């Protein structure tokens, strides 16, 4: 019986992939650290200067007519501006692996609204570099990988049956505090929670 259920599930998945559209695309993103916080002792954050920039490639696989799974591979540079008497800026870069569940809501022939939610793993690709106001490097430190909850909404506009543009707004709720290895100790720096606006191109097959 279990084998029959498994075979039926595989058959339904195959039919879903055969009848629904697979989409590929790429997007660029810019974010503001609206929810980013610093640990005690690091000063106060300058939100206007705390930003994120990056981009990603993605593929969206259908799970039916409206549901889908979107896997992404991207990179992000994070800039955190701190006011601690003497101001300084911390920069670090991550390689990002979001995996999102999507729900497509058609809005006419050429538009679609798509809420999305999922998880993201961010792996460090460079040390955190801290600079003072003069641009001189103060310190460079290692840090750990981070997990985030991603919630957002995407809007697609299609030029024809296959090609369109997509814009989305996401809140990246990092569930892990940013810890750095300083003098052989793990020290909490803060938590990164940017609001990200992105735009890109989408190709459907």
């Amino acid at each position: 019986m279990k084998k029959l259920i498994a075979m039926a599930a595989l058959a339904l998945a195959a039919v879903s992939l055969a009848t629904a559209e697979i989409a590929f695309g790429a997007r660029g993103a810019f974010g503001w650290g609206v929810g980013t916080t610093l640990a005690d002792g690091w000063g106060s954050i300058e939100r206007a200067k705390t930003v994120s920039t990056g981009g990603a490639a993605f593929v969206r696989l259908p799970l039916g007519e409206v549901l889908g799974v979107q896997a992404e591979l991207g990179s992000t540079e994070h800039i955190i501006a701190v006011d601690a008497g003497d101001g300084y800026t911390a920069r670090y870069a991550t390689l990002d692996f979001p995996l999102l569940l999507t729900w497509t809501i058609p809005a006419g022939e050429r538009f679609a609204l798509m809420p999305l939610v999922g998880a993201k793993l961010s792996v460090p690709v460079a040390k955190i570099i801290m600079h003072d106001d003069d641009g001189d490097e103060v310190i460079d430190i290692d840090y750990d990988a981070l997990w985030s909850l991603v919630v957002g909404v995407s809007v697609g506009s299609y030029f024809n049956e296959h090609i369109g543009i997509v814009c989305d707004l996401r809140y990246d709720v990092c569930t892990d505090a940013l810890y750095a290895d300083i003098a052989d100790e793990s020290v909490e720096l803060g938590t990164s929670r940017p609001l990200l606006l992105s735009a890109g191109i989408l190709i459907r097959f």
Side-chain angles (χ1 to χ4, degrees), residues 162-205:
H162 299 292
I163 300 176
I165 57 174
V166 61
C167 299
D168 63 44
L169 185 66
R170 304 181 183 185
Y171 189 37
D172 190 346
V173 186
C174 189
T175 56
D176 293 329
L178 184 62
Y179 281 86
D181 297 323
I182 302 176
D184 296 326
E185 292 187 8
S186 183
V187 178
E188 183 179 350
L189 301 179
T191 305
S192 176
R193 290 180 175 175
L195 182 67
L196 298 163
L197 177 64
S198 70
I201 190 169
L202 178 72
I203 301 175
R204 302 184 297 183
F205 294 94

Side-chain angles (χ1 to χ4, degrees), residues 72-78 92-99 119-126 143-150 172-178 192 194 196:
E72 302 184 1
L73 173 60
S75 62
T76 306
E77 181 182 21
H78 308 265
Y92 65 101
T94 56
L95 190 63
D96 305 318
F97 302 91
L99 184 62
K120 183 181 77 171
L121 174 64
S122 296
V123 178
V125 295
Y143 62 101
D144 300 324
L146 304 168
W147 282 98
S148 299
L149 170 68
V150 179
D172 190 346
V173 186
C174 189
T175 56
D176 293 329
L178 184 62
S192 176
L196 298 163

